[in-house]
Amino acid sequence: MARNKYDEDEELGTPFSWAYTKRLLSYVVPYKKEMIATLIVMLISSISTLLGPYLVMIAMDTNIPNKDVKGLIIVCIIFFITIIVSAWCMKYRIKTMTYVGQEVVKNIRTDIFNHLQKLPFSYYDSRPHGKILVRVVNYVNSLSDLLSNGLINLLTDLFSIFVIVGFMVFISPRLTLICMIGMPILAIIVALLARIQRRTSQAYSNKQSNLNAYIQESISGMKVTQAFAREEANAENFRTVSGETRSTWIKFVRTQLLLWPAIENTSVFTVALVYLIGVRSIGESITIGTLIAFVGYIWRFWNPIVNISNFYNTLIMAMAYLERIFETLDEPVNIANLPDAYEISEIEGHVQFKDVLFKYEDEDREILKNVSFNVNAGETIALVGPTGAGKTTIINLLSRFYDVTSGEVLVDGNNIRNVTLDSLRKQMGVMLQDTFIFSGNILDNIRYGKLDATEEEIINAAKAVKAHDFIVNLKDGYNTEVNERGSRLSVGQRQLISFARALLADPKILILDEATSSIDTKTEQALQEGLDRLLKGRTSFVIAHRLSTIKNATRIMVINDGQIIEQGSHDELMNIKGEYYELYTSQYEMVKAV
């Protein structure tokens, strides 16, 4: 399957749409009471702040010339009250909107994580995990400031502009018209910059995603890097990827900074023009207090314009992230319950493959070619064959990690596409070739297969697979803490823990993919005794390259080039001296030579 790499930019599958903003607002709706309350508070704060220049005009044009001390004191008290009110309103906004913003971020991240858990394996096969991680963490975090402050500030600033213009018109309609001269020019500049800013923000999000993917890949493969002394070569790759990220960031910031000088120059130009005309008109139609108050409102008029431009820049960047976030949320869940899916009752373990054909969506090569077989409940089926023959694909289709391209997979006569995933998978125990140990203690790692299991049940499962002896010899026994992927344990120990996890669930169908590949011969012999007891009475599918471990299987299927070319018991296949005979004897000769 084609796989996007750390040095390949991801192409968005859908064009930009302002509907993303509407979807983002849908996350805000549950907090509309807090938003409305904060908006009202901020409007009060805006009015309080905007009274300042008007109070100064009254003091200079009326109270001071008339030596009205009492009136001046009243104006000062009102001015002081507006400062107190504005400060309290600001505190309320910070507290409330920080809470709302973080709640929305949490909800978006939760939705992404829940959706990721439903996506099929094919999604993870086609992209580096670092590029998925950056969407869940970095991109969602980038929305925090927009949600905590941006929306309320935008509404408050828009309200402030209308109030300020109202004060300006009330004070001097003529000067107000002069002040508005720069607005058409500013609108043209914003329109020209919009497309460039979106393009550069998308480029930066691509490079940021690539950088995160390379870091994640490098950390995961650190042992291989050091084993092959690849540190210098990897450092050079990192410098290249990091340099590209830096370059695109500089380009994006450069386009962002083009807006601020435009606003600043326009504002200075209009203020200078107002001063020029206003000073010439003093004594005729304009008083000194009027001019001072009007200039005060001009600066206050341009402040929200600057704030809105900053919000616009934040929004452009957030839109680049929103496109990625919602693209992930819109990723189709191909492996899902059908509308009329039903829960399968307790199964016996009868499995059928009927003319199953499978290939990946973007490939023409058929992985399985019209595979058919019938397995009775309680049988142990061993799948053998060369790497890439289709063995793991068979068990992936049985577990419905992928859907068949054509044909049917039946369990107890039920087409597994017609039953709910939970009811099917809860009756299966799967130990995949890639053993995964979660961070935590060994007890919880084994309990992962059955969350309500008692400690006694966990220990019994560990004993059955011969994991108990090495666990009790660890420093804290079953309470020993292991880090992510269990790197402090040997590969064989990790496989035994994973095997105990699968068996604890007491599945009706047990799937083992190379379950004993990393276990030493002595442990394997002991494990085989436990397996013989545990496999009895349940349907089992075992993939093994070490053919000595599957001699007791009910039936052995030899897979090659996506087809079953031989099947039968060990003795039957040895007698016909076909592919299995060649595989077994070659392994036997190799062991004998050692």
Side-chain angles (χ1 to χ4, degrees), residues 153-171:
N153 285 351
L154 174 65
L155 296 175
T156 303
D157 288 331
L158 288 173
F159 175 79
S160 297
I161 289 173
F162 284 110
V163 173
I164 291 168
V165 171
F167 274 108
M168 290 166 64
V169 170
F170 178 76
I171 293 172

Side-chain angles (χ1 to χ4, degrees), residues 301-319:
F301 171 78
W302 285 106
N303 277 340
I305 297 293
V306 171
N307 291 339
I308 290 173
S309 72
N310 291 332
F311 172 81
Y312 174 78
N313 284 331
T314 303
L315 184 63
I316 289 294
M317 194 66 192
M319 282 298 151

Side-chain angles (χ1 to χ4, degrees), residues 464-466 516 522-535 548-553:
V465 299
K466 306 304 177 183
T516 61
K522 183 179 178 181
T523 304
E524 181 188 314
Q525 291 172 350
L527 176 60
Q528 196 65 48
E529 297 174 9
L531 285 178
D532 289 341
R533 294 194 302 269
L534 291 165
L535 295 179
S548 60
T549 63
I550 58 168
K551 289 174 64 175
N552 297 330

Side-chain angles (χ1 to χ4, degrees), residues 400-473:
R400 210 185 162 207
F401 293 140
Y402 299 91
D403 274 333
V404 299
T405 304
S406 65
E408 290 182 308
V409 178
L410 308 174
V411 173
D412 288 359
N414 299 278
N415 188 324
I416 62 172
R417 298 188 71 166
N418 297 329
V419 303
T420 61
L421 288 170
D422 281 351
S423 66
L424 174 69
R425 291 176 181 169
K426 283 180 179 179
Q427 301 189 68
M428 290 185 176
V430 182
M431 180 178 171
L432 299 175
Q433 187 173 358
D434 182 17
T435 301
F436 194 94
I437 299 296
F438 297 91
S439 57
N441 60 40
I442 291 176
L443 200 71
D444 289 337
N445 263 282
I446 298 176
R447 185 182 277 122
Y448 198 85
K450 184 183 179 184
L451 297 179
D452 59 348
T454 64
E455 189 169 334
E456 182 181 0
E457 290 175 321
I458 293 170
I459 293 173
N460 288 336
K463 286 180 177 178
V465 299
K466 306 304 177 183
H468 178 75
D469 290 342
F470 92 79
I471 293 175
V472 294
N473 286 326

